[in-house]
Amino acid sequence: MSRPPVPLPAEHIPPGTAEWRTPNAERWLAAAPARWAHPLWTLPALVASLVWDIAEAPVAPCTSTAPCGTDWLGLGMAVVSLLTLYWVWRQPRLALAGLAATLTGFAVEGGFTSALGEPSALAFLMAVAFTTAGLIHRLAAAGRQRARALEAAGPVAQPLPAAARTFRRGRLSFVLAALLLGVAGFGCWQVQQVVDAYEERAAGATRLSGRVTALEQDDDIDIVTVEADGRTHRFETAYPEDFPVGSRADIVVDGDWAALVAEPYDAIGWELLAVAGSVAGLAFLANGVDGRRRSQRLRREPLPVLHVLVREGHDDGRTWVFAADDPEGLRPILHFHSLYAFEEEKEDEDGGDAAVVELDRITEILKGEDPPPPLREAVLYGVPHAGAEVAFVAFDDEDDVEVSVQCSVTAVKPVGPRSTGHGQRRHERENPQRPRDEIAADMTPSAGPRTWTAHGLSRAVGLGLLLVQGGGIWAALEDGPSWHWLWLVVGLPWLVTVVATALTWRITADRDGLWVTGAWRVRRVPWNVITSVRHSDDGIRIGRAEDSSVELSPTGWAWLERHLGREPHAVRTVEELRALLLHPELRPLEEAPAGRQGMPVGPPLVVVSALWGVAVLLLL
């Protein structure tokens, strides 16, 4: 039996506080953003179309009248574009502003006109429209959730506890932002130093016009040779196509120093440093400002309060919130990360003891000796919705004599519609009896064999790795025989194994045991030798007595499935296999025929890879 929630004494529950009950919580969850608007769908479309459009965009040639120097406006647009991609995930309002700026730059470059004739430009505009629709939908959904949370809370409003009013957000973000923006400023200064040094040297140099006599490569560096005024000069170039043999090229010469007028200097390293520092620094700055603004709004006026249940995640430290009438903690509503808030004088007084307690707890976690965190009654302050800031008051455990106050340090995230019970399973991994019993209760005995096989996301992972495999074969073979072929010898067997597993893994349970189909063979594992079944690192591992375990990996992408609001298929498979292992009455009554045992596709995939390699050699 699970422990009852740790109660919160009535004196810590403000008068009139409404319980957030399951019907209201379900209405709140129903108002969550739709799955199509999740950044996991909109962001890849935007990134792919942006990369395609950049790759297809014509590059202006470097000439003496329009040299390829430092394009500060272009660097600024690159910073805005990269920040926008990040903000699509974290900051919808800033992402809308970033998309507007990106579209402005797109229009200035004539992108709207080219979209009529260029598929890449049209695809980019469609991706921007899709992303914008998703961002607007997410903001509108947050507004609907806010309204339903206010409806559930009723008219009662209370000021934050004193400890929460002294809690400050964003300090670390501001420090990191200052450091990274300092790095960006240093990069910009170095770029300007390179530009000034060139312009100063070129001002006193002699300008000559020469003829391009050769183009060659030296260790993958393109070299252009120019003859001018009876001398031969060699220059590194990033755009050899701009200097065909026999064409004219302007150069500036000052003694032993010379430079191409069209490509006067190379500051790409410092430019990349400036862009990277600017993107990271501005991202931290925006996060810090947003966190500070939200925490100030939380402290500004009395807030709605809700009586809920909370539990700290056993693996990731998240705070999971449950309805007040869900004493088993089976249906999480939302989650966020939080930190303790202390009154200033109390923090100084008890800080040493608190640090010792926290250090002991961290030691227990590292040793795996910490008990699963309990479910606790709590009072939630604030209006919960996607992206909100909240605080709550609760006991840490039943032995505490004083309540703790915790404030969110990440935005509130609703739990996906198919994640019911996910929070409970995460905290009870140290006591797996309850999950097995719950799964067993949902299963009915069957005469025929039970089969679990690769599903959509697992096959998507396999297809993605198959494309990587095909591209790797092409890249290794395109230059003819070379040391790159060693990568095929080392990496191809592993790639074939994981691709074949992800595409067609299968486990079949029958009367006598399991048939486990991997990349290369089908293995028989009798029930009486199985010691454990577990999910680890996106793989399924079946332990056997006095023998090595049988492992299938990868069997999907659990992290992505959870973020899409789904229960991972491989995790569910493991739970049902455990139920069969511990409840023999649920096992099938018949033996699996050959057609249900599965067939490994590793050998055929080797043949396909070999044929692809031959085709590449014939095409090149």
Side-chain angles (χ1 to χ4, degrees), residues 139-155:
L139 292 173
R144 290 193 297 270
Q145 285 189 317
R146 179 181 177 85
R148 295 185 182 183
L150 286 171
E151 180 183 339

Side-chain angles (χ1 to χ4, degrees), residues 43 74 100 131 142 187 237 253 283 305 317 339-340 353 382 391 394-395 422 451-453 473 504 512 519 573 587 594:
L43 196 56
T131 303
T237 176
V253 179
V305 287
L339 289 177
Y340 288 97
D353 294 339
F395 279 122
H422 165 61
T451 299
W452 301 265
T453 188
I473 292 174
T504 61
D512 300 320
T573 298
R587 296 174 188 171

Side-chain angles (χ1 to χ4, degrees), residues 6 83 213 251 348 409 499 549:
V6 177
L83 276 173
T213 58
I251 63 174
D348 295 338
V409 292
V499 167
S549 60

Side-chain angles (χ1 to χ4, degrees), residues 295-342:
S295 64
Q296 288 174 347
R297 183 187 303 168
L298 200 65
R299 300 192 303 268
R300 191 174 302 155
E301 55 191 12
L303 301 167
V305 287
L306 286 166
H307 188 190
V308 297
L309 299 176
V310 299
R311 176 190 275 133
E312 182 180 291
H314 197 228
D315 295 335
D316 55 14
R318 290 176 182 167
T319 297
W320 295 81
V321 176
F322 304 83
D325 58 350
D326 183 14
E328 302 294 333
L330 298 178
R331 296 173 296 277
I333 305 170
L334 57 90
H335 61 87
F336 51 86
H337 287 91
S338 61
L339 289 177
Y340 288 97
F342 302 98

Side-chain angles (χ1 to χ4, degrees), residues 398-462:
E398 58 270 17
D399 298 327
D400 280 353
V401 295
E402 293 186 8
V403 296
S404 64
V405 179
Q406 296 187 49
C407 296
S408 62
V409 292
T410 59
V412 165
K413 292 184 180 180
V415 173
R418 295 182 62 183
S419 294
T420 299
H422 165 61
Q424 174 74 1
R425 284 190 295 274
R426 288 179 71 88
H427 342 294
E428 294 190 351
R429 285 180 183 172
E430 297 298 324
N431 182 19
Q433 183 63 41
R434 179 171 178 79
R436 287 198 295 263
D437 290 343
E438 290 176 2
I439 296 298
D442 294 335
M443 298 175 66
T444 56
S446 65
R450 293 178 182 266
T451 299
W452 301 265
T453 188
H455 69 312
L457 192 56
S458 179
R459 293 193 178 102
V461 171

Side-chain angles (χ1 to χ4, degrees), residues 83 163 167 171 185 189 208 314 355 382 392 548 582:
L83 276 173
F167 188 80
R171 292 175 181 173
W189 178 74
L208 301 173
H314 197 228
F392 68 92
S548 60
L582 296 175

Side-chain angles (χ1 to χ4, degrees), residues 52-53 56-58 106 110-111 113-125:
W52 185 20
D53 187 54
E56 293 295 323
F106 187 74
T113 303
S114 64
L116 299 176
E118 296 181 10
S120 60
L122 182 60
F124 174 67
L125 289 178

